[in-house]
Each structure stands twice: as structure tokens, then as C-alpha cells.
Amino acid sequence: MILNYMKKTINYIQNESLKIYNRKFSKKYIKENILPIINFFIILCYNNISMGTSWDFSMTNLKKIADNIKNKNIKEALRLCEIYNDKSNQHIIFNFKGVIFLIKNDLELSEQYFIKSIEIQPKYEDPIKNLCLVYLKKKLFNKMLSYAKQLVEINELNDEYNYQLAYAHELNNNLGDALKYYTKYLDLNGKNKKQALNNIGCMYLKKNKPKIANEFFLKGINFGEDQIIINNLLNSYILLRDLKNYEIFLSKAENFDKNFIEFKYNKARFLILKNQIQEAINILEE
């Protein structure tokens, strides 16, 4: 389609040049002044066609690699990365390789490729996000925090980046900063409100403020219940010695998983508060 259009354009130019020749200018003038411009345009058009075709081919190959990674065809994805030769997209290939080795759980190689990608494109967000995951898996929380900060510097209004930075601060025990960015995540209307509210509640438990923690857990279950947040809520009621409300949520926690270790621990503490010591011991020994 593009070639046909360009041929029509070239034919039009040639026809127009003949009109010019017939009307005004000498053959010598056209040869020396007009035809070089026309020839230059023709060469430029064909070069643009060639560049466009190459670009399409390059993008098609990148999509093939991405599709193979998505479908867990790791060997084929890596083979395509190795034969890919468009240097302008090398940062993307390095990121793909990092993802491949991350899937293979080779954290050292994945880290190396993500860093290579960033060295080429310092603000390329995908490898920065992936490095955060690598350092989370390696429990290098300080490094995770460093890259999480970079993401927010690139896009401070991205809700997921603010959540990631909040979580990184929490893992580094920077509870004040963690609270700041969890709050910002909620202000940005992040999708996973329940998890953010649960994490804030847990931080207040660490600060020995079970009443405030309880308020955040209750807010969190308005966005859905799961065994994590329900058992955290039970924990806050135990610390508050609020046995009445504890019993209200006890059955919900039991319905999720009565063998969940946090549930057993909470129930044992509840029984101890009711002076049912032997029953508590029996639960812990199960």
C-alpha cells in the first residue's frame, strides 16, 4: 500500500517536471536544478519505506519475544533475544533477558540484565520495577527502596509506584514514610485499598497502637475480607481485650482456614484471656 502511494507520488512529480519543461525552463536548467531535487526526493522516499519496513519487522520480533515470555516459552524467548540485532532497542532486549532469568529464578543474572537495561535508558520503568522485585526476593530491602524511589521520581502520580515505595519503606522499618506513601496511594484511588489499609493497620500494631490499627482493619474489610485481614483484626481485638467483638469475627476467620497458624495463635490467646488454659495448649499443640 505504501509502495503504491509512493509510486503515484513519483509519477506525479515526473509529470509535473515535464509540464515545467514545456512551459518555462530550459532543458539545461531542469537538469541542473530541478531533477536533482526530484531524485533526492525519490531516494528519500525509498529510504523511508525501507526504514519503516525495518521498524515494523523490529517491533514484530519484540512482540514475538514478549508473547513467548508470557506463554512461558522461555527457551524460544531467549533464542529470539540472542538473534535480535536492532541496537536501538537493546535496552528492551536486556529487560526481556532479565525477565527470562527471573522466571528461571536466577536472581544474579536477572539483576545484571536489568541494570544493563537501565544503564542504556536510565528512566526505562520496566527494569526498575523488576529490580524492586529482585531485591525483594533477595531481601535486599535497602536496594529495593532505592529503586522504588526512582519510580516515584519518574512518575509521582502513579498509584502503584507509591504503593511500592510505601512497602519498601515499611520493609526498611521507616514507618512514618511508609504511612505517608500508603496514604498517598489511597488518595490516588489505588485499586488495592484493602491491602494498603491492612498494611497501615499492621504498622500501628508495631507501634503498639491497637485501637488505631483496629480502625484501619475495619476500613479494609469494607473492600473485601480475606484470612489475613480478618486475623489481623482479631489480633487487634485481643490486644484491646475486646472479647465481644473478637467472637463476632471468630467464625469468619474459622471459615477461611481454621488451620491457619495466625488463627490458631489468636484463638489460643483468646482462650487464655477466658482462663481456658488447657484448651489453649491443645490448640497450639495440634
Side-chain angles (χ1 to χ4, degrees):
M1 181 177 177
I2 296 174
L3 283 171
N4 288 335
Y5 173 76
M6 298 311 301
K7 286 177 181 177
K8 289 179 181 179
T9 304
I10 292 164
N11 288 335
Y12 171 79
I13 293 170
Q14 289 173 334
N15 290 334
E16 289 300 307
S17 69
L18 288 173
K19 291 179 184 178
I20 293 170
Y21 173 76
N22 291 330
R23 288 176 186 173
K24 293 183 180 180
F25 303 111
S26 68
K27 186 175 180 180
K28 181 181 178 183
Y29 182 87
I30 292 174
K31 183 178 179 181
E32 292 177 356
N33 295 281
I34 296 177
L35 287 181
I37 297 173
I38 294 172
N39 289 332
F40 174 77
F41 178 78
I42 292 170
I43 292 168
L44 181 63
C45 288
Y46 278 117
N47 281 341
N48 283 339
I49 292 168
S50 176
M51 288 170 62
T53 304
S54 174
W55 185 86
D56 289 342
F57 181 74
S58 176
M59 292 298 106
T60 299
N61 282 341
L62 288 176
K63 186 178 185 303
K64 284 182 181 178
I65 297 170
D67 288 343
N68 276 286
I69 292 173
K70 183 179 179 181
N71 295 321
K72 299 296 188 291
N73 299 323
I74 303 305
K75 187 175 180 180
E76 177 63 10
L78 188 57
R79 185 189 74 81
L80 291 171
C81 284
E82 295 297 344
I83 64 174
Y84 189 88
N85 57 13
D86 185 347
K87 298 299 182 184
S88 66
N89 290 323
Q90 197 61 44
H91 60 293
I92 300 175
I93 294 299
F94 282 146
N95 181 61
F96 279 155
K97 284 185 175 181
V99 171
I100 289 168
F101 286 108
L102 184 57
I103 292 171
K104 292 163 71 75
N105 206 34
D106 188 334
L107 299 182
E108 297 304 318
L109 269 180
S110 64
E111 178 185 359
Q112 290 174 27
Y113 280 114
F114 291 141
I115 289 174
K116 284 182 178 181
S117 178
I118 295 168
E119 286 174 348
I120 298 171
Q121 290 282 0
K123 292 188 177 182
Y124 183 26
E125 295 168 36
D126 286 351
I128 301 175
K129 288 188 286 185
N130 291 331
L131 272 175
C132 287
L133 180 57
V134 168
Y135 292 131
L136 176 61
K137 285 178 172 285
K138 295 177 78 170
K139 299 188 185 302
L140 297 175
F141 301 138
N142 193 44
K143 285 190 174 183
M144 177 188 174
L145 177 60
S146 174
Y147 284 99
K149 286 180 178 178
Q150 288 185 35
L151 287 172
V152 172
E153 287 172 3
I154 293 170
N155 187 351
E156 64 179 8
L157 297 180
N158 183 299
D159 57 322
E160 291 303 324
Y161 293 173
N162 278 277
Y163 183 94
Q164 198 158 19
L165 180 54
Y167 187 50
H169 274 301
E170 183 181 354
L171 292 172
N172 282 276
N173 207 34
N174 304 328
L175 301 186
D177 287 325
L179 179 59
K180 171 185 173 181
Y181 286 102
Y182 278 133
T183 301
K184 187 173 180 181
Y185 171 79
L186 293 170
D187 290 341
L188 290 169
N189 199 31
K191 293 180 180 179
N192 199 357
K193 295 179 178 62
K194 178 180 69 174
Q195 188 62 50
L197 290 164
N198 176 73
N199 292 357
I200 293 172
C202 289
M203 287 192 297
Y204 278 110
L205 286 181
K206 287 181 182 179
K207 292 183 173 186
N208 197 28
K209 295 181 178 181
K211 189 174 187 305
I212 300 176
N214 178 268
E215 293 171 0
F216 280 100
F217 295 138
L218 287 172
K219 288 179 182 178
I221 63 174
N222 288 329
F223 297 97
E225 297 177 357
D226 60 45
Q227 67 179 9
I228 301 295
I229 196 166
I230 288 294
N231 277 283
N232 284 335
L233 181 61
L234 291 180
N235 185 17
S236 68
Y237 281 130
I238 289 290
L239 293 171
L240 292 168
R241 303 293 194 269
D242 186 345
L243 304 187
K244 180 180 178 181
N245 278 307
Y246 176 94
E247 291 187 85
I248 292 172
F249 288 95
L250 176 62
S251 60
K252 289 188 177 184
E254 196 166 18
N255 288 336
F256 277 114
D257 185 359
K258 65 181 181 181
N259 294 315
F260 184 51
I261 187 64
E262 291 298 326
F263 171 77
K264 287 185 172 183
Y265 180 60
N266 281 329
K267 190 171 182 180
R269 291 160 69 207
F270 168 70
L271 292 170
I272 289 170
L273 289 175
K274 295 184 70 175
N275 204 30
Q276 297 176 14
I277 308 300
Q278 188 57 51
E279 289 87 341
I281 293 172
N282 291 341
I283 288 173
L284 293 174
E285 288 180 345
E286 288 178 357

